Amino acid sequence: MHIGVPREIKDHEYRVGLTPDSVRELVKRGHRVSVESGAGLGIGCEDVEYRDAGAEIADSAEAVFEAAQMIVKVKEPQPAECQRLRADQLLFTYLHLAPDGEQTADLVASGASCVAYETITDEHGGLPLLAPMSEVAGRLATQAAAHSLEKIRGGRGVLMGGVPGVSPARVVVIGGGVVGENAITMALGLGADVVVLDRSVAVLRRLAARFGPSLRTVYATASGTEAEVLAADVVIGAVLVAGAETPKLVSAEQVSRMQTGSVLVDVAIDQGGCFETSKPTTHAEPTYVIDGVVHYCVANMPGAVPRTSAYALNHATLGHVIALAERGLSAAMADDRHLRNGLNVHAGQVTCRPVAERHGYDYIAPDQALAG
């Protein structure tokens, strides 16, 4: 198969779909790989490294899209990229379609087969291609919160870990999954006072067993969530409903009653965000203030540490890229229901139920769509 890797064009996105190591693996298996010139610069990889790995270097994104049978990216295709997709092409990347009706319509119109990293599952019920970026985003969320608490950034002027005789910041993490657990790890490491809210007692037990009495666990009722949010210096939203838009767990009215200079970090913003006042931001302008509360809602947080992120992501995605390249879409998915769960759009049909329901499309099961 001919695989194409365009340079990412989302604002301040420096990751790349395939690293030179991944290219080498694919070329050794007999596949062709075209990489747009400069695609790897954000992770410190020059064109020569890709050429040495066996890739062909393309002068433009147009050349990559025109030649490739499968496009491997990191972030959702921007409008110009959607226009380059064609019906005989496979797109493999993060999509996050539930909150994005415009992108959904563009992908449906393209006729391409679009596989989303974030809805591929595993035998344990996890999301293995989302997990590495969730680990990165969870850790970055605490770093972002610590910086945003600084007075010069609009925050309360509180040091995350405090000092002897002065209390640390109070950090509330909503959601105890991969993002939440990594945010907790960093916040406790900095010496913060940390509480986690979740609706799963099993998750709370697991986190309590891991972190011990340093972490306070609270079952996430509406009243309990409100009380913790209003008392917090930092609230990190770490909630995910696979493939669907994230529920709004903190209302605008509650935000208006939070402490002035407190910080909200919405890691769920890719799926619509879990705070009613959230709107996507970029690394160029990562924060805004509503009712005195600093909001950090960067939609591609792991892009801030692209080298770490790209290599971690490739470790998770490469096996699936190989399976799709060697067997083709239909055969690869026929034998792997977890990979089949990643199919969101195929031949003008929406094959992810939450996306179809959110945007008013008829839902077609992936196996039915692939059968014709």
Side-chain angles (χ1 to χ4, degrees), residues 97-323:
L97 293 178
D100 194 343
E102 182 177 349
Q103 186 201 167
T104 303
D106 285 346
L107 295 181
V108 168
S110 76
S113 300
C114 306
V115 182
Y117 295 159
E118 73 272 10
T119 60
I120 291 174
T121 55
D122 63 22
E123 62 273 18
H124 307 295
L127 302 169
L129 275 63
L130 188 61
M133 295 303 94
S134 295
E135 291 169 343
V136 172
R139 292 171 183 240
L140 281 174
T142 300
Q143 290 185 193
H147 286 302
S148 298
L149 275 174
E150 296 172 8
K151 194 68 174 178
I152 58 172
R153 301 176 190 274
R156 297 190 70 209
V158 173
L159 182 65
M160 184 71 86
V163 293
V166 181
S167 297
R170 186 168 185 172
V171 176
V172 174
V173 179
I174 304 178
V178 178
V179 170
E181 186 168 357
N182 280 271
I184 291 164
T185 298
M186 295 293 284
L188 288 175
L190 289 172
D193 175 15
V194 185
V195 58
V196 61
L197 296 153
D198 202 284
R199 285 188 176 274
S200 168
V201 175
V203 167
L204 296 177
R205 285 197 182 108
R206 174 177 57 78
L207 294 173
R210 175 179 174 185
F211 294 108
S214 298
L215 174 67
R216 188 160 58 91
T217 60
V218 175
Y219 186 78
T221 61
S223 58
T225 299
E226 179 179 67
E228 293 296 341
V229 165
L230 295 183
D233 295 300
V234 171
V235 182
I236 296 174
V239 178
L240 174 71
V241 180
E245 190 168 16
T246 306
K248 300 295 186 279
L249 302 178
V250 178
S251 69
E253 189 275 333
Q254 290 169 331
V255 170
S256 73
R257 292 190 284 129
M258 291 178 67
Q259 301 179 86
T260 299
S262 56
V263 175
L264 295 177
V265 180
D266 199 339
V267 188
I269 193 65
D270 274 336
Q271 293 291 117
C274 60
F275 308 126
E276 197 171 45
T277 48
S278 292
K279 59 183 180 182
T281 62
T282 68
H283 288 293
E285 296 184 37
T287 63
Y288 60 92
V289 178
I290 293 179
D291 291 327
V293 177
V294 180
H295 292 60
Y296 183 101
C297 304
V298 175
N300 60 327
M301 288 177 64
V305 286
R307 188 171 178 89
T308 297
S309 298
Y311 278 94
L313 180 60
N314 269 237
H315 295 161
T317 59
L318 180 59
H320 295 292
V321 174
I322 291 171

Side-chain angles (χ1 to χ4, degrees), residues 8-14 78 281-285 298 300:
E8 297 290 327
I9 59 174
K10 189 180 179 77
D11 184 62
H12 283 260
E13 179 54 68
Y14 303 107
Q78 302 304 290
T281 62
T282 68
H283 288 293
E285 296 184 37
V298 175
N300 60 327

